[in-house]
Amino acid sequence: MEGSSGYHVPVLLDEVVRFLRDGPDAGEIMDGTVGGGGHAARILQDIPGSRVLAVDRDPDALEEARRSLNQWSGRVRFLQARFDEAARGAGVMGPSLRGALLDLGVSSRQIDADARGFAFRSGDAPLDMRMGGAAGGGRTAADILNREDEGELTRIFRQYGEERRAGRLAREVVKRRRTEPFERARQLLDAITVVHRRSPDAGDKARVFQALRIAVNDELASLEQALPLLRDALLPGGVLVVISYHSLEDRMVKRAFRSWSRSCVCPPELPLCTCRGAPLGELLTRSVVRPSDEELALNPRSRSARLRAWRRGS
Ligand SMILES: C[S@@+](CC[C@H](N)C(=O)[O-])C[C@H]1O[C@@H](n2cnc3c(N)ncnc32)[C@H](O)[C@@H]1O
C-alpha cells in the first residue's frame, strides 16, 4: 500500500491531492504534519513543479520524512516546529503558500513505539506522550496525572476523552498518587479498571489515553492558533485542507471555514462592518469528507478521519 513503509498509512490521499492541485502555481505547499511523508510524497509526485515545506514537531518523524522524500530533495524544505509556529513564519513576509495540509493527531509509528508512551499495549510504557520527545521539553502525561487538581483532571478526561466516568477517574488518580506517583501505563490502566468495576475494553482505555495526549501536546490551542495564520499565509486561490480525528478539532475547523466563507466576518461586537462584506474565501467541502468503505477495509485506523477544505479568495 502507498506510503506504507511501516511508518504510517496516509489517509484520504486522493482527496488531499485533488483539493491541493487546484491552488495557484506559485509558492510552497506546507505539510504541517508531515509524519512519514506519505501525503507529501503524493503531492510531489502528482502536482508537477510543486514545492513542499515539510513540518513536524517530532524529530523522529522529520528524520523519516527526509528519508522517504529523498528523491525530491530539491523540492522540499524541512522544519522541526509546531505547525502554528511554522504558519506564523510562512506569513511573516506576506502570503507565500499555494496550499497547506494539516493531518492532525498522531502517526501509527508514534502509537506503536512503546517508549513514547502514547499507547497502552505495554503496561511498562512510560507515561510520556510528548510529540516533540524529551528534547522538546514540556509536561509529560505523568506530570499531569501527578500535579493537576481533581477538577482539571476531570475536565481533561471529560472534554478531550468524552469519558463519562471522568469525575470518578480523576478522584481515583488523586487518591492513588498519594501513595505511588504515576510513572507507567499500568498504573493508569489499574485506575481505569477500578473505576469501570470490570475489565475496561480497548475503547475505554483509548479515550483516557487520547485525553491525556491532547492535554500534554496542547493540541487544540495549536490548531486554534494555526487556522487564521495559515489562512493569512495563503496566496490568493490557495487551498487549506485539514483532516481531524476528534470531534472538538473537527468542530473548530468547520466553524472557522464557515465563518471565513460568509460575506461579513466582523466580530459580532463591532457596531459596523469593516470587512466590507466580501467573503475571505470559499468552502470547498459543503459536507465533511470521510474515508470510503474500501479505504476503511484497507486501513481501519482511518475510521475517525474527517476532511474539510477551504480556498482563499482572489
Ligand atoms: C497523522 S500523523 C501525519 C501523517 C502524515 N500525513 C503521513 O502521511 O505520514 C500526524 C503528525 O503530525 C505531527 N503533529 C501533530 N501535532 C503537531 C503540531 N501541532 N505541530 C507539528 N506537528 C504536529 C505528529 O508528530 C505526527 O507526526
Side-chain angles (χ1 to χ4, degrees):
M1 195 187 304
E2 209 160 353
S4 60
S5 59
Y7 193 96
H8 181 82
V9 181
V11 309
L12 295 164
L13 258 184
D14 290 340
E15 292 79 357
V16 164
V17 172
R18 178 160 57 83
F19 286 117
L20 289 176
R21 189 187 277 132
D22 283 344
D25 287 341
E28 286 179 311
I29 294 177
M30 178 173 133
D31 183 344
T33 51
V34 73
H39 284 112
R42 208 31 205 285
I43 291 166
L44 289 157
Q45 181 186 293
D46 286 5
I47 309 183
S50 57
R51 290 180 290 118
V52 168
L53 171 57
V55 179
D56 205 292
R57 67 195 293 182
D58 181 346
D60 289 347
L62 267 196
E63 202 178 299
E64 173 66 19
R66 272 207 178 83
R67 241 193 321 270
S68 70
L69 303 176
N70 186 34
Q71 62 176 300
W72 294 283
S73 58
R75 290 165 55 198
V76 193
R77 291 195 296 140
F78 294 92
L79 178 64
Q80 190 197 330
R82 278 170 51 148
F83 51 63
D84 47 303
E85 296 161 354
R88 190 167 286 114
V92 106
M93 307 287 278
S96 65
L97 301 177
R98 65 184 274 178
L101 167 66
L102 298 180
D103 175 22
L104 301 168
V106 274
S107 65
S108 298
R109 170 64 67 90
Q110 287 167 326
I111 294 173
D112 293 341
D114 286 340
R116 305 289 303 269
F118 287 108
F120 42 80
R121 255 182 339 270
S122 155
D124 274 342
L127 287 163
D128 190 315
M129 304 196 190
R130 289 170 296 181
M131 286 188 197
R139 297 183 308 171
T140 64
D143 291 337
I144 290 180
L145 290 168
N146 291 324
R147 292 182 202 159
E148 289 299 349
D149 65 24
E150 195 178 310
E152 177 61 2
L153 288 172
T154 303
R155 186 192 70 80
I156 290 171
F157 297 143
R158 179 170 298 138
Q159 200 176 340
Y160 301 158
E162 295 169 43
E163 170 55 61
R164 282 186 292 122
R165 299 168 178 85
R168 268 189 277 158
L169 180 59
R171 216 168 310 133
E172 185 66 25
V173 166
V174 170
K175 185 176 115 195
R176 285 173 172 249
R177 75 188 186 193
R178 287 195 198 109
T179 46
E180 191 188 26
F182 283 84
E183 282 174 19
R184 306 266 156 199
R186 182 177 302 108
Q187 294 168 280
L188 181 56
L189 292 171
D190 288 347
I192 299 172
T193 305
V194 165
V195 166
H196 279 262
R197 296 204 191 100
R198 59 169 166 80
S199 189
D201 63 25
D204 299 327
K205 299 176 200 167
R207 281 197 303 281
V208 176
F209 276 68
Q210 168 185 268
L212 275 173
R213 191 204 81 212
I214 290 176
V216 165
N217 295 290
D218 215 4
E219 291 178 38
L220 293 168
S222 188
L223 178 63
E224 190 168 29
Q225 286 161 30
L227 288 173
L229 291 167
L230 285 171
R231 176 197 68 200
D232 295 345
L234 287 175
L235 291 160
V239 173
L240 171 56
V241 178
V242 184
I243 306 174
S244 352
Y245 300 83
H246 190 284
S247 57
L248 291 175
E249 291 168 344
D250 184 51
R251 205 173 311 150
M252 199 185 280
V253 176
K254 179 171 151 184
R255 286 201 181 136
F257 285 7
R258 285 216 175 134
S259 96
W260 306 344
S261 309
R262 277 199 291 270
S263 50
C264 173
V265 292
C266 292
E269 58 274 16
L270 271 194
L272 285 175
C273 169
T274 54
C275 70
R276 299 205 196 121
L280 297 174
E282 170 198 3
L283 195 59
L284 300 179
T285 45
R286 292 257 150 247
S287 41
V288 76
V289 178
R290 297 171 188 224
S292 63
D293 290 345
E294 195 190 354
E295 176 163 2
L296 282 171
L298 288 169
N299 179 18
R301 279 185 177 172
S302 69
R303 73 187 160 279
S304 48
R306 306 271 180 281
L307 181 150
R308 295 183 191 270
W310 181 85
R311 189 198 337 257
R312 185 169 181 174
S314 308

Short mmCIF file of all heavy atoms in Angstrom, two decimals, residues 205-257:
data_model
loop_
_atom_site.label_atom_id
_atom_site.label_comp_id
_atom_site.label_asym_id
_atom_site.label_seq_id
_atom_site.Cartn_x
_atom_site.Cartn_y
_atom_site.Cartn_z
N LYS A 205 -9.98 2.44 27.37
CA LYS A 205 -8.58 2.84 27.61
C LYS A 205 -8.17 3.94 26.63
O LYS A 205 -7.55 4.93 27.00
CB LYS A 205 -7.65 1.64 27.43
CG LYS A 205 -7.94 0.48 28.38
CD LYS A 205 -7.02 -0.66 28.02
CE LYS A 205 -7.53 -1.98 28.56
NZ LYS A 205 -6.83 -3.14 27.99
N ALA A 206 -8.55 3.75 25.36
CA ALA A 206 -8.13 4.71 24.32
C ALA A 206 -8.64 6.11 24.63
O ALA A 206 -7.92 7.09 24.41
CB ALA A 206 -8.64 4.25 22.96
N ARG A 207 -9.88 6.22 25.15
CA ARG A 207 -10.44 7.55 25.43
C ARG A 207 -9.59 8.30 26.46
O ARG A 207 -9.30 9.48 26.30
CB ARG A 207 -11.88 7.44 25.95
CG ARG A 207 -12.90 7.20 24.87
CD ARG A 207 -14.30 7.50 25.39
NE ARG A 207 -14.64 6.72 26.56
CZ ARG A 207 -15.02 5.44 26.52
NH1 ARG A 207 -15.12 4.82 25.37
NH2 ARG A 207 -15.29 4.79 27.63
N VAL A 208 -9.15 7.60 27.49
CA VAL A 208 -8.37 8.26 28.55
C VAL A 208 -6.97 8.61 28.05
O VAL A 208 -6.46 9.71 28.30
CB VAL A 208 -8.29 7.33 29.79
CG1 VAL A 208 -7.40 7.95 30.86
CG2 VAL A 208 -9.69 7.06 30.34
N PHE A 209 -6.36 7.70 27.31
CA PHE A 209 -5.01 7.98 26.79
C PHE A 209 -5.05 9.13 25.78
O PHE A 209 -4.17 9.98 25.76
CB PHE A 209 -4.39 6.71 26.19
CG PHE A 209 -3.74 5.84 27.23
CD1 PHE A 209 -4.51 5.18 28.19
CD2 PHE A 209 -2.37 5.72 27.31
CE1 PHE A 209 -3.92 4.41 29.18
CE2 PHE A 209 -1.76 4.95 28.30
CZ PHE A 209 -2.54 4.28 29.24
N GLN A 210 -6.10 9.15 24.95
CA GLN A 210 -6.23 10.25 23.99
C GLN A 210 -6.38 11.58 24.71
O GLN A 210 -5.78 12.59 24.32
CB GLN A 210 -7.46 10.01 23.11
CG GLN A 210 -7.83 11.23 22.27
CD GLN A 210 -9.11 11.03 21.49
OE1 GLN A 210 -9.08 10.59 20.35
NE2 GLN A 210 -10.24 11.32 22.08
N ALA A 211 -7.19 11.59 25.77
CA ALA A 211 -7.42 12.84 26.50
C ALA A 211 -6.09 13.38 27.05
O ALA A 211 -5.79 14.58 26.92
CB ALA A 211 -8.39 12.58 27.65
N LEU A 212 -5.30 12.50 27.62
CA LEU A 212 -4.01 12.95 28.18
C LEU A 212 -3.08 13.45 27.07
O LEU A 212 -2.39 14.46 27.23
CB LEU A 212 -3.33 11.78 28.90
CG LEU A 212 -3.78 11.57 30.34
CD1 LEU A 212 -3.17 10.30 30.90
CD2 LEU A 212 -3.37 12.77 31.22
N ARG A 213 -3.07 12.75 25.94
CA ARG A 213 -2.19 13.15 24.82
C ARG A 213 -2.55 14.56 24.34
O ARG A 213 -1.68 15.39 24.11
CB ARG A 213 -2.38 12.14 23.68
CG ARG A 213 -1.37 12.27 22.58
CD ARG A 213 -1.92 11.70 21.30
NE ARG A 213 -2.78 12.64 20.64
CZ ARG A 213 -3.83 12.32 19.90
NH1 ARG A 213 -4.18 11.06 19.72
NH2 ARG A 213 -4.55 13.27 19.32
N ILE A 214 -3.85 14.83 24.23
CA ILE A 214 -4.29 16.15 23.76
C ILE A 214 -3.85 17.23 24.75
O ILE A 214 -3.38 18.30 24.36
CB ILE A 214 -5.82 16.15 23.55
CG1 ILE A 214 -6.15 15.27 22.34
CG2 ILE A 214 -6.37 17.56 23.37
CD1 ILE A 214 -7.64 15.09 22.08
N ALA A 215 -3.94 16.91 26.06
CA ALA A 215 -3.53 17.89 27.07
C ALA A 215 -2.01 18.08 27.06
O ALA A 215 -1.52 19.21 27.10
CB ALA A 215 -4.00 17.42 28.45
N VAL A 216 -1.26 16.99 26.99
CA VAL A 216 0.21 17.08 27.01
C VAL A 216 0.70 17.97 25.87
O VAL A 216 1.58 18.81 26.05
CB VAL A 216 0.84 15.67 26.88
CG1 VAL A 216 2.33 15.75 26.55
CG2 VAL A 216 0.64 14.88 28.16
N ASN A 217 0.13 17.80 24.69
CA ASN A 217 0.65 18.49 23.50
C ASN A 217 -0.12 19.77 23.15
O ASN A 217 0.15 20.37 22.12
CB ASN A 217 0.63 17.52 22.31
CG ASN A 217 1.57 16.37 22.54
OD1 ASN A 217 2.79 16.54 22.54
ND2 ASN A 217 1.02 15.18 22.80
N ASP A 218 -1.04 20.14 24.02
CA ASP A 218 -1.78 21.39 23.82
C ASP A 218 -2.34 21.44 22.39
O ASP A 218 -2.25 22.45 21.69
CB ASP A 218 -0.77 22.55 24.01
CG ASP A 218 -1.44 23.75 24.65
OD1 ASP A 218 -2.62 23.63 24.99
OD2 ASP A 218 -0.75 24.79 24.78
N GLU A 219 -2.96 20.32 21.99
CA GLU A 219 -3.28 20.16 20.57
C GLU A 219 -4.37 21.11 20.08
O GLU A 219 -4.29 21.61 18.95
CB GLU A 219 -3.68 18.69 20.30
CG GLU A 219 -2.49 17.77 20.45
CD GLU A 219 -2.83 16.30 20.25
OE1 GLU A 219 -3.66 15.96 19.39
OE2 GLU A 219 -2.24 15.46 20.96
N LEU A 220 -5.36 21.39 20.94
CA LEU A 220 -6.45 22.26 20.46
C LEU A 220 -5.97 23.70 20.33
O LEU A 220 -6.33 24.40 19.38
CB LEU A 220 -7.65 22.15 21.41
CG LEU A 220 -8.29 20.76 21.38
CD1 LEU A 220 -9.26 20.58 22.52
CD2 LEU A 220 -9.00 20.52 20.06
N ALA A 221 -5.11 24.14 21.25
CA ALA A 221 -4.60 25.52 21.17
C ALA A 221 -3.74 25.68 19.92
O ALA A 221 -3.80 26.70 19.23
CB ALA A 221 -3.80 25.84 22.42
N SER A 222 -2.96 24.65 19.60
CA SER A 222 -2.08 24.71 18.43
C SER A 222 -2.93 24.88 17.16
O SER A 222 -2.63 25.70 16.29
CB SER A 222 -1.25 23.43 18.38
OG SER A 222 -0.28 23.50 17.40
N LEU A 223 -4.03 24.11 17.08
CA LEU A 223 -4.90 24.20 15.91
C LEU A 223 -5.61 25.55 15.85
O LEU A 223 -5.68 26.18 14.79
CB LEU A 223 -5.92 23.05 15.95
CG LEU A 223 -6.93 23.02 14.81
CD1 LEU A 223 -6.23 22.82 13.46
CD2 LEU A 223 -7.96 21.90 15.02
N GLU A 224 -6.12 25.98 17.00
CA GLU A 224 -6.85 27.25 17.02
C GLU A 224 -5.97 28.41 16.56
O GLU A 224 -6.41 29.29 15.83
CB GLU A 224 -7.36 27.51 18.44
CG GLU A 224 -8.32 28.65 18.50
CD GLU A 224 -9.02 28.71 19.86
OE1 GLU A 224 -8.41 28.27 20.86
OE2 GLU A 224 -10.16 29.20 19.89
N GLN A 225 -4.70 28.40 17.00
CA GLN A 225 -3.81 29.48 16.59
C GLN A 225 -3.41 29.35 15.12
O GLN A 225 -3.26 30.33 14.41
CB GLN A 225 -2.54 29.46 17.46
CG GLN A 225 -2.81 29.99 18.85
CD GLN A 225 -1.75 29.56 19.85
OE1 GLN A 225 -0.60 29.39 19.48
NE2 GLN A 225 -2.13 29.40 21.09
N ALA A 226 -3.24 28.09 14.67
CA ALA A 226 -2.73 27.87 13.31
C ALA A 226 -3.73 28.27 12.23
O ALA A 226 -3.34 28.78 11.18
CB ALA A 226 -2.33 26.41 13.12
N LEU A 227 -5.04 28.04 12.48
CA LEU A 227 -6.01 28.21 11.38
C LEU A 227 -5.98 29.62 10.78
O LEU A 227 -5.78 29.75 9.56
CB LEU A 227 -7.42 27.82 11.85
CG LEU A 227 -7.63 26.30 12.05
CD1 LEU A 227 -8.99 26.03 12.68
CD2 LEU A 227 -7.49 25.53 10.74
N PRO A 228 -6.14 30.70 11.57
CA PRO A 228 -6.10 32.01 10.92
C PRO A 228 -4.73 32.37 10.36
O PRO A 228 -4.64 33.08 9.35
CB PRO A 228 -6.51 32.97 12.06
CG PRO A 228 -6.34 32.21 13.32
CD PRO A 228 -6.48 30.77 13.00
N LEU A 229 -3.66 31.85 10.99
CA LEU A 229 -2.32 32.14 10.47
C LEU A 229 -2.12 31.49 9.10
O LEU A 229 -1.57 32.09 8.18
CB LEU A 229 -1.24 31.62 11.44
CG LEU A 229 -1.14 32.35 12.79
CD1 LEU A 229 -0.28 31.54 13.77
CD2 LEU A 229 -0.53 33.73 12.59
N LEU A 230 -2.61 30.26 8.96
CA LEU A 230 -2.50 29.58 7.67
C LEU A 230 -3.35 30.28 6.62
O LEU A 230 -2.93 30.47 5.48
CB LEU A 230 -2.91 28.10 7.79
CG LEU A 230 -1.87 27.21 8.47
CD1 LEU A 230 -2.46 25.83 8.75
CD2 LEU A 230 -0.61 27.08 7.61
N ARG A 231 -4.57 30.65 7.03
CA ARG A 231 -5.46 31.38 6.10
C ARG A 231 -4.73 32.61 5.55
O ARG A 231 -4.70 32.83 4.34
CB ARG A 231 -6.72 31.81 6.85
CG ARG A 231 -7.68 32.65 6.04
CD ARG A 231 -8.67 33.36 6.94
NE ARG A 231 -8.02 34.38 7.76
CZ ARG A 231 -8.51 34.89 8.89
NH1 ARG A 231 -9.66 34.46 9.36
NH2 ARG A 231 -7.86 35.82 9.55
N ASP A 232 -4.09 33.37 6.44
CA ASP A 232 -3.45 34.61 6.01
C ASP A 232 -2.15 34.36 5.26
O ASP A 232 -1.65 35.24 4.56
CB ASP A 232 -3.20 35.53 7.22
CG ASP A 232 -4.52 35.98 7.84
OD1 ASP A 232 -5.57 35.83 7.18
OD2 ASP A 232 -4.50 36.46 8.99
N ALA A 233 -1.55 33.17 5.42
CA ALA A 233 -0.31 32.86 4.71
C ALA A 233 -0.57 32.30 3.31
O ALA A 233 0.35 32.10 2.53
CB ALA A 233 0.53 31.86 5.52
N LEU A 234 -1.88 32.04 3.00
CA LEU A 234 -2.21 31.50 1.66
C LEU A 234 -2.18 32.61 0.61
O LEU A 234 -2.70 33.72 0.85
CB LEU A 234 -3.60 30.88 1.67
CG LEU A 234 -3.78 29.54 2.38
CD1 LEU A 234 -5.26 29.15 2.37
CD2 LEU A 234 -2.94 28.43 1.74
N LEU A 235 -1.65 32.30 -0.55
CA LEU A 235 -1.74 33.21 -1.70
C LEU A 235 -3.20 33.22 -2.19
O LEU A 235 -3.94 32.27 -1.89
CB LEU A 235 -0.83 32.70 -2.82
CG LEU A 235 0.67 32.80 -2.53
CD1 LEU A 235 1.45 31.86 -3.43
CD2 LEU A 235 1.14 34.24 -2.71
N PRO A 236 -3.62 34.23 -2.93
CA PRO A 236 -4.98 34.20 -3.48
C PRO A 236 -5.20 32.90 -4.26
O PRO A 236 -4.35 32.49 -5.05
CB PRO A 236 -4.99 35.41 -4.43
CG PRO A 236 -3.96 36.33 -3.86
CD PRO A 236 -2.88 35.47 -3.28
N GLY A 237 -6.32 32.24 -3.98
CA GLY A 237 -6.61 30.95 -4.64
C GLY A 237 -5.98 29.75 -3.93
O GLY A 237 -6.24 28.61 -4.30
N GLY A 238 -5.19 30.02 -2.89
CA GLY A 238 -4.54 28.93 -2.14
C GLY A 238 -5.56 28.11 -1.35
O GLY A 238 -6.60 28.62 -0.95
N VAL A 239 -5.23 26.84 -1.14
CA VAL A 239 -6.20 25.90 -0.53
C VAL A 239 -5.67 25.36 0.80
O VAL A 239 -4.49 24.98 0.89
CB VAL A 239 -6.47 24.73 -1.51
CG1 VAL A 239 -7.34 23.66 -0.86
CG2 VAL A 239 -7.14 25.25 -2.78
N LEU A 240 -6.54 25.34 1.80
CA LEU A 240 -6.20 24.77 3.11
C LEU A 240 -7.02 23.50 3.32
O LEU A 240 -8.25 23.54 3.19
CB LEU A 240 -6.50 25.80 4.20
CG LEU A 240 -6.41 25.36 5.67
CD1 LEU A 240 -5.04 24.77 5.99
CD2 LEU A 240 -6.68 26.55 6.60
N VAL A 241 -6.34 22.39 3.61
CA VAL A 241 -7.01 21.10 3.84
C VAL A 241 -6.69 20.65 5.26
O VAL A 241 -5.52 20.64 5.65
CB VAL A 241 -6.50 20.03 2.84
CG1 VAL A 241 -7.16 18.68 3.10
CG2 VAL A 241 -6.74 20.47 1.40
N VAL A 242 -7.71 20.28 6.02
CA VAL A 242 -7.47 19.78 7.38
C VAL A 242 -8.17 18.44 7.55
O VAL A 242 -9.36 18.30 7.23
CB VAL A 242 -7.98 20.76 8.46
CG1 VAL A 242 -7.62 20.23 9.85
CG2 VAL A 242 -7.39 22.15 8.26
N ILE A 243 -7.42 17.46 8.05
CA ILE A 243 -8.01 16.16 8.40
C ILE A 243 -7.96 16.05 9.92
O ILE A 243 -6.90 16.11 10.52
CB ILE A 243 -7.21 14.99 7.78
CG1 ILE A 243 -7.06 15.17 6.27
CG2 ILE A 243 -7.90 13.65 8.10
CD1 ILE A 243 -6.17 14.14 5.61
N SER A 244 -9.16 15.91 10.54
CA SER A 244 -9.20 15.78 12.00
C SER A 244 -9.68 14.39 12.40
O SER A 244 -10.34 13.71 11.60
CB SER A 244 -10.13 16.79 12.66
OG SER A 244 -10.60 17.73 11.81
N TYR A 245 -9.39 14.04 13.64
CA TYR A 245 -9.77 12.72 14.16
C TYR A 245 -10.54 12.83 15.47
O TYR A 245 -10.78 11.83 16.13
CB TYR A 245 -8.50 11.87 14.38
CG TYR A 245 -7.72 11.67 13.11
CD1 TYR A 245 -6.82 12.64 12.66
CD2 TYR A 245 -7.91 10.53 12.33
CE1 TYR A 245 -6.13 12.47 11.48
CE2 TYR A 245 -7.21 10.35 11.15
CZ TYR A 245 -6.33 11.33 10.73
OH TYR A 245 -5.65 11.16 9.55
N HIS A 246 -10.86 14.05 15.87
CA HIS A 246 -11.52 14.28 17.16
C HIS A 246 -12.62 15.29 16.92
O HIS A 246 -12.43 16.27 16.19
CB HIS A 246 -10.49 14.81 18.15
CG HIS A 246 -10.97 14.86 19.56
ND1 HIS A 246 -11.84 15.82 20.01
CD2 HIS A 246 -10.71 14.08 20.62
CE1 HIS A 246 -12.09 15.62 21.30
NE2 HIS A 246 -11.43 14.56 21.69
N SER A 247 -13.79 15.08 17.56
CA SER A 247 -14.93 15.94 17.26
C SER A 247 -14.65 17.41 17.61
O SER A 247 -15.11 18.32 16.92
CB SER A 247 -16.17 15.45 18.01
OG SER A 247 -15.89 15.42 19.39
N LEU A 248 -13.86 17.67 18.66
CA LEU A 248 -13.59 19.07 19.02
C LEU A 248 -12.75 19.75 17.94
O LEU A 248 -12.97 20.92 17.61
CB LEU A 248 -12.84 19.15 20.36
CG LEU A 248 -13.62 18.76 21.60
CD1 LEU A 248 -12.72 18.79 22.83
CD2 LEU A 248 -14.81 19.70 21.81
N GLU A 249 -11.78 19.01 17.38
CA GLU A 249 -10.96 19.58 16.30
C GLU A 249 -11.83 19.83 15.07
O GLU A 249 -11.76 20.90 14.45
CB GLU A 249 -9.86 18.60 15.88
CG GLU A 249 -8.78 18.39 16.89
CD GLU A 249 -7.89 17.20 16.52
OE1 GLU A 249 -8.27 16.35 15.68
OE2 GLU A 249 -6.80 17.10 17.09
N ASP A 250 -12.64 18.85 14.73
CA ASP A 250 -13.46 18.99 13.51
C ASP A 250 -14.43 20.16 13.64
O ASP A 250 -14.64 20.91 12.69
CB ASP A 250 -14.20 17.68 13.22
CG ASP A 250 -14.98 17.78 11.91
OD1 ASP A 250 -14.37 18.18 10.89
OD2 ASP A 250 -16.19 17.51 11.91
N ARG A 251 -15.00 20.33 14.84
CA ARG A 251 -15.92 21.44 15.05
C ARG A 251 -15.20 22.78 14.87
O ARG A 251 -15.72 23.71 14.28
CB ARG A 251 -16.50 21.35 16.47
CG ARG A 251 -17.83 22.04 16.59
CD ARG A 251 -18.47 21.79 17.95
NE ARG A 251 -18.47 20.39 18.34
CZ ARG A 251 -18.41 19.96 19.61
NH1 ARG A 251 -18.30 20.82 20.60
NH2 ARG A 251 -18.43 18.68 19.88
N MET A 252 -13.97 22.86 15.38
CA MET A 252 -13.20 24.09 15.27
C MET A 252 -12.93 24.44 13.80
O MET A 252 -13.07 25.58 13.36
CB MET A 252 -11.86 23.88 16.01
CG MET A 252 -11.14 25.13 16.39
SD MET A 252 -9.54 24.74 17.12
CE MET A 252 -9.97 24.31 18.77
N VAL A 253 -12.57 23.42 13.02
CA VAL A 253 -12.27 23.63 11.59
C VAL A 253 -13.54 24.03 10.85
O VAL A 253 -13.55 24.98 10.06
CB VAL A 253 -11.67 22.34 10.98
CG1 VAL A 253 -11.44 22.49 9.49
CG2 VAL A 253 -10.37 21.97 11.70
N LYS A 254 -14.64 23.32 11.14
CA LYS A 254 -15.91 23.59 10.47
C LYS A 254 -16.35 25.05 10.72
O LYS A 254 -16.70 25.77 9.80
CB LYS A 254 -16.96 22.62 11.03
CG LYS A 254 -18.33 22.77 10.49
CD LYS A 254 -19.14 21.58 11.00
CE LYS A 254 -20.59 21.91 11.13
NZ LYS A 254 -21.33 20.81 11.71
N ARG A 255 -16.26 25.47 11.99
CA ARG A 255 -16.69 26.84 12.33
C ARG A 255 -15.81 27.87 11.64
O ARG A 255 -16.29 28.86 11.10
CB ARG A 255 -16.59 27.06 13.83
CG ARG A 255 -17.69 26.33 14.54
CD ARG A 255 -17.94 26.93 15.92
NE ARG A 255 -18.99 26.18 16.56
CZ ARG A 255 -18.98 25.76 17.82
NH1 ARG A 255 -17.97 26.05 18.59
NH2 ARG A 255 -20.00 25.08 18.31
N ALA A 256 -14.48 27.64 11.65
CA ALA A 256 -13.56 28.61 11.04
C ALA A 256 -13.84 28.71 9.55
O ALA A 256 -14.02 29.82 9.02
CB ALA A 256 -12.11 28.17 11.29
N PHE A 257 -13.93 27.59 8.85
CA PHE A 257 -14.13 27.63 7.40
C PHE A 257 -15.47 28.29 7.07
O PHE A 257 -15.57 29.06 6.12
CB PHE A 257 -14.09 26.21 6.81
CG PHE A 257 -12.69 25.61 6.72
CD1 PHE A 257 -11.60 26.25 7.27
CD2 PHE A 257 -12.48 24.40 6.05
CE1 PHE A 257 -10.32 25.71 7.19
CE2 PHE A 257 -11.20 23.85 5.95
CZ PHE A 257 -10.12 24.49 6.53
#
